Amino acid sequence: MMKLNSRALAYISLIFAAILWGTTYPIIKIGFQEIHLAPMTYLFMRFVFALITLSPVLAIRSIRKEVFHLLFRYEVILLGIMNGAGYTLQFLGQVHVTASFSSIMLNTYVLFTPLFNHFFFKNPVDGRKKAAAAAGFIGAAVIAVGNIITHALSVTLYGTLMVLGSGIVYGLYIVYSEKTMAANFRGKRPHPVSLFYASTVSSLLIIFITGLFMRDLPGLSPFPMIALLPVLYLGILCTNAAFILYLIAIKELGAVSSAIYLL
């Protein structure tokens, strides 16, 4: 029986993460258009179910000890804040734009990742990557302007800026994920499952605070039972599974390569 090496496993992880994240956009849109969920309620419940369904991993003693240690590390808290902020911008923006357009704007994180990697961590970017990033930004700008012109200007502009902002935040998140995955906590690198669980606690807190500020949380706005299916799908597969697979890839391939291959 052939045994996969770590690099092959990283590529396979990326493939499955891409498949799962590719389904995110239409599922979110179904929640908005068919079930009429409020954005922060939808997002809050997604992360609540993500944490609940991932919690059985705490039965593993090594994971549990690592999670409780990572919960209070500023690096992990910052990582969770970035993820929560990125998702908040995506959900607020996707109410006003199509699923396909949202995916294009959000995936500009691939263009921001090498730039942030260079400016914040001084990793070199060669001429080909610079040219590719420039071409990508021009393409995204053309698509965005065309979409704004052909739809209601004020509404679509708001949605475009929100989802684009999400792409910027995720560029930072991916670069910082690589740095955090490479850090030594108590003499060892964090396990992807432990890191994701601990950072997701911070993400949920940010989403909760934003939802309170916007008066958009369960209890303040109703949450229909029919919404449980898309929320569970997003929480278990598109949040837990996809992010853990992606962190596995980042650990082996690095932030820039993982972002490019994922796209």
Side-chain angles (χ1 to χ4, degrees):
M1 185 175 178
M2 184 177 66
K3 185 177 180 180
L4 292 174
N5 61 39
S6 57
R7 199 166 184 84
L9 181 62
Y11 287 124
I12 293 171
S13 297
L14 276 178
I15 290 170
F16 282 100
I19 291 170
L20 292 172
W21 273 332
T23 65
T24 297
Y25 307 100
I27 295 296
I28 292 173
K29 206 65 180 178
I30 288 171
F32 290 149
Q33 293 181 339
E34 305 299 329
I35 309 175
H36 306 292
L37 291 172
M40 296 309 299
T41 295
Y42 199 2
L43 181 57
F44 177 74
M45 296 307 295
R46 171 181 179 167
F47 270 77
V48 166
F49 279 102
L51 273 180
I52 290 172
T53 55
L54 191 60
S55 290
V57 302
L58 298 179
I60 304 171
R61 186 169 179 269
S62 59
I63 295 289
R64 182 172 66 252
K65 288 180 65 177
E66 190 172 40
V67 165
F68 289 152
H69 173 65
L70 293 175
L71 278 173
F72 304 102
R73 298 287 307 204
Y74 76 89
E75 303 98 324
V76 178
I77 294 172
L78 181 57
L79 195 65
I81 290 172
M82 288 180 187
N83 197 25
Y87 266 112
T88 297
L89 291 169
Q90 179 191 350
F91 270 62
L92 291 176
Q94 199 174 328
V95 176
H96 305 289
V97 296
T98 64
S100 57
F101 180 74
S102 174
S103 69
I104 292 171
M105 289 297 100
L106 182 59
N107 280 302
T108 56
Y109 76 84
V110 177
L111 309 176
F112 288 109
T113 297
L115 297 180
F116 292 148
N117 207 27
H118 173 69
F119 287 121
F120 292 114
F121 301 111
K122 308 304 179 184
N123 292 325
V125 180
D126 60 35
R128 289 183 301 172
K129 289 180 180 177
K130 289 178 181 177
F137 279 120
I138 292 171
V142 170
I143 292 169
V145 170
N147 192 61
I148 291 169
I149 290 173
T150 55
H151 295 82
L153 177 62
S154 59
V155 173
T156 309
L157 179 60
Y158 172 82
T160 299
L161 292 176
M162 290 294 103
V163 182
L164 180 60
S166 180
I168 295 172
V169 172
Y170 278 123
L172 283 171
Y173 173 86
I174 291 166
V175 170
Y176 199 70
S177 292
E178 180 182 18
K179 178 180 172 61
T180 310
M181 288 295 296
N184 286 322
F185 300 108
R186 292 184 172 179
K188 65 175 184 177
R189 293 185 177 185
H191 191 283
V193 174
S194 303
L195 179 62
F196 178 71
Y197 190 100
S199 64
T200 300
V201 173
S202 298
S203 300
L204 184 59
L205 181 60
I206 289 298
I207 293 165
F208 178 73
I209 292 171
T210 307
L212 283 180
F213 178 76
M214 297 182 67
R215 295 183 176 275
D216 171 15
L217 281 178
L220 298 175
S221 58
F223 187 77
M225 294 301 293
I226 194 175
L228 286 178
L229 189 59
V231 165
L232 282 170
Y233 180 88
L234 291 172
I236 296 172
L237 296 178
C238 299
T239 306
N240 291 343
F243 268 98
I244 290 169
L245 289 168
Y246 195 47
L247 288 174
I248 290 171
I250 287 178
K251 188 175 183 179
E252 179 65 30
L253 303 175
V256 175
S257 295
S258 294
I260 292 170
Y261 292 141
L262 184 70
L263 183 63

